[in-house]
């Protein structure tokens, strides 16, 4: 796994897959979910609707792929992070599952790159530093298993971007340039 950190709007990032921090209805919403559906167009929502008619709802930690409409990506991976409830309700495990399920799917589909937003760190209220620690532990577990995959962590806010920079500073292979889009 190669790591890149970008500060900016994930809908502007070129990657084989863009991960969406969705909710269990997969019917869109605010935050990054709203931005992805707005930029990607109605095709993505139509696919989500079809999937939900089959599976009922998307569980927390589950990952559901669709095509990416007008985005510069082949796929959108919709995943549902945990709502922060204080930390004793399995939030860290569920958050890790969102990242791991997405990496697993990227590997199965033979993708070269995947872009993640900070899942659960907006409306769902996950504390930012704890969330970045979960990401770090997933990266450590999956580094070897994802050779050749570029993993891009995209943060809209400078503060969140800085937390990632702090966490990954010094990593061999991590591209920590101040890319801004
Ligand atoms: N590019 C990159 N990051 C973004 C963007 C963007 N365009 N927009 C927001 N962020 P959130 P959640 C950051 O609230 O906490 C939705 O309504 C944002 O600053 O999008 O998982 C869904 O439908 C924050 O750091 O997702 C669900 O109902 C991070 O993305 C619910 O919100 C995640 O914030 C999911 O909440």
């Amino acid at each position: 796994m190669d790591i890149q950190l970008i500060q900016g709007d994930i809908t502007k990032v070129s990657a084989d897959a863009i991960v969406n921090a969705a909710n269990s209805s997969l019917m869109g919403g605010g935050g990054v979910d709203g931005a992805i559906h707005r930029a990607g167009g109605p095709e993505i929502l139509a696919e989500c609707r079809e999937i939900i008619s089959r599976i009922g709802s998307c569980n927390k930690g589950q990952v559901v792929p669709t095509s990416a409409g007008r985005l510069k990506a082949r796929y959108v991976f919709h995943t549902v992070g945990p709502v922060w409830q204080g930390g004793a309700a399995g939030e860290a495990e569920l958050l890790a599952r969102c990242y791991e399920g997405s990496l697993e799917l990227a590997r199965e589909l033979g993708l070269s790159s995947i872009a993640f937003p900070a899942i659960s760190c907006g409306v769902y209220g996950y504390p930012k530093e704890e969330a970045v620690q979960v990401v770090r532990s997933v990266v450590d577990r999956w580094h070897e298993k994802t050779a050749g995959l570029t993993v891009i962590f995209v943060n809209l806010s400078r503060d969140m971007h800085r937390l990632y920079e702090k966490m990954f500073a010094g990593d061999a292979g991590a591209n920590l340039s101040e890319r801004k889009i």
Side-chain angles (χ1 to χ4, degrees):
M1 172 192 303
D2 290 318
I3 298 164
Q4 282 185 20
L5 308 181
I6 294 181
Q7 189 196 343
D9 177 354
I10 201 168
T11 67
K12 304 280 199 304
V13 170
S14 287
D16 288 340
I18 289 179
V19 177
N20 182 19
N23 60 62
S24 55
S25 77
L26 297 191
M27 289 298 109
V32 73
D33 194 7
I36 285 173
H37 281 286
R38 268 194 308 279
E43 206 178 292
I44 300 175
L45 193 62
E47 274 183 60
C48 286
R49 194 166 282 128
E50 194 275 319
I51 290 165
I52 288 299
S53 74
R54 276 189 284 116
I55 68 172
S57 73
C58 184
N59 294 325
K60 292 197 184 306
Q62 193 177 351
V63 182
V64 168
T66 64
S67 59
R70 298 190 293 256
L71 295 173
K72 289 184 285 182
R74 286 163 62 194
Y75 301 97
V76 173
F77 289 177
H78 306 266
T79 191
V80 184
V83 177
W84 181 256
Q85 292 174 281
E91 291 95 328
E93 194 192 69
L94 282 170
L95 186 60
R97 221 180 281 164
C98 294
Y99 286 96
E100 292 183 320
S102 300
L103 292 172
E104 175 96 67
L105 192 54
R107 201 170 60 163
E108 275 169 26
L109 293 168
L111 306 187
S112 322
S113 56
I114 181 168
F116 285 98
I119 300 164
S120 285
C121 290
V123 175
Y124 282 180
Y126 209 107
K128 295 176 175 45
E129 302 204 354
E130 276 96 323
V132 180
Q133 264 159 23
V134 169
V135 171
R136 169 89 243 183
S137 65
V138 170
V139 165
D140 289 344
R141 282 198 297 277
W142 280 73
H143 215 274
E144 305 284 302
K145 291 188 271 184
T146 50
L149 181 68
T150 298
V151 178
I152 311 166
F153 295 109
V154 187
N155 286 288
L156 204 51
S157 86
R158 182 162 186 80
D159 286 357
M160 196 69 197
H161 178 68
R162 281 256 177 259
L163 288 179
Y164 273 81
E165 282 187 319
K166 253 172 64 188
M167 183 57 86
F168 290 102
D171 270 38
N175 173 359
L176 299 177
S177 58
E178 280 290 304
R179 261 181 83 186
K180 214 171 166 183
I181 49 170

